[in-house]
Amino acid sequence: MKVICIPLGPVQANCYVIIQDGKALLIDPGDRFEDLKHILERNHATLEAVLLTHAHFDHIGGLDALLKEFHVDVYMNPLEFSFLSSADLNGSSAFGGYLSSTARPLPVHEGENEIGGFMVEALTLPGHTRGSTVYIIGNTAFTGDVLFQGSVGRTDLPTGSWQEMQESIAVLKTLPDDLIVYPGHGPATTIGQEKSWNPYFR
């Protein structure tokens, strides 16, 4: 499995292209992704679906433009369907914008999902937002803004909760040490590395 990370948008949210056996998933299109078609062509892959870890503006900003070019399904936690059309819930209004998406997503179910030929385990881990979802594919976890290298997501935005974040951290600490973590911002890490030096894991 190949993972390509492209930071997009004004706050450089990580967008991921996951490629295996000629199929591709895309996680969190935070802004227009002009090079996506070329990446797929170079890797002889077809985009099968889009996954959203959560629906903040910096993770969905390029969603509608992408769907105009690639007619694929979008999957996300149904707790955040309403975020797509609400500038207050998706956070864009707090930063002087009014982002609204017309996408009609499909629900990701807790546990195992077969999406676009990939087996995707979904874990709802609220705290940053009420529907923040970590996707585990093989030996990799895409954590959105739940977990970063050396830190965790902020909890002061709408539907955020520090108590829930603490509970989500407790779940993350039970995952395998060698699980590779691809966060919503910043560099990759592992669960073991975060257990060793992330202050929020102590």
Side-chain angles (χ1 to χ4, degrees):
M1 187 174 79
K2 183 175 186 178
V3 177
I4 300 169
C5 175
I6 307 291
L8 297 174
V11 293
Q12 294 289 276
N14 290 335
C15 176
Y16 294 99
V17 185
I18 307 157
I19 298 171
Q20 184 171 268
D21 299 329
K23 299 179 184 295
L25 296 179
L26 187 141
I27 297 180
D28 289 356
D31 205 344
R32 289 183 177 273
F33 193 167
E34 305 293 349
D35 199 35
L36 177 58
K37 184 177 180 180
H38 300 298
I39 288 173
L40 295 172
E41 289 175 349
R42 287 197 299 269
N43 288 277
H44 309 289
T46 301
L47 184 64
E48 301 291 336
V50 175
L51 299 178
L52 301 178
T53 62
H54 65 296
H56 275 158
F57 74 97
D58 55 326
H59 294 257
I60 66 168
L63 182 59
D64 283 9
L66 183 144
L67 294 179
K68 287 180 181 179
E69 184 173 2
F70 299 92
H71 303 289
V72 296
D73 290 328
V74 179
Y75 293 84
M76 66 182 296
N77 193 312
L79 291 172
E80 296 194 8
F81 281 2
S82 60
F83 284 44
L84 294 178
S85 58
S86 171
D88 290 334
L89 288 174
N90 67 41
S92 57
S93 63
F95 294 87
Y98 294 93
L99 177 66
S100 178
S101 170
T102 59
R104 296 186 176 182
L106 297 173
V108 166
H109 303 289
E110 195 75 7
E112 292 290 336
N113 298 259
E114 185 173 355
I115 299 175
F118 291 78
M119 290 306 300
V120 180
E121 182 181 359
L123 300 176
T124 302
L125 295 179
H128 180 63
T129 61
R130 67 187 177 205
S132 287
T133 302
V134 169
Y135 298 114
I136 299 176
I137 305 173
N139 194 41
T140 61
F142 300 86
T143 58
D145 288 2
V146 176
L147 176 63
F148 306 124
Q149 185 188 81
S151 189
V152 296
R154 60 190 292 181
T155 60
D156 60 334
L157 298 172
T159 79
S161 164
W162 174 239
Q163 176 60 41
E164 290 183 330
M165 179 63 80
Q166 290 177 299
E167 294 168 2
S168 293
I169 292 168
V171 174
L172 289 168
K173 289 167 70 174
T174 69
L175 299 177
D177 285 0
D178 63 350
L179 188 67
I180 300 167
V181 172
Y182 290 105
H185 301 267
T189 182
T190 65
I191 292 294
Q193 182 176 339
E194 296 314 298
K195 287 180 182 178
S196 295
W197 69 283
N198 189 323
Y200 294 96
F201 273 50
R202 293 171 186 158

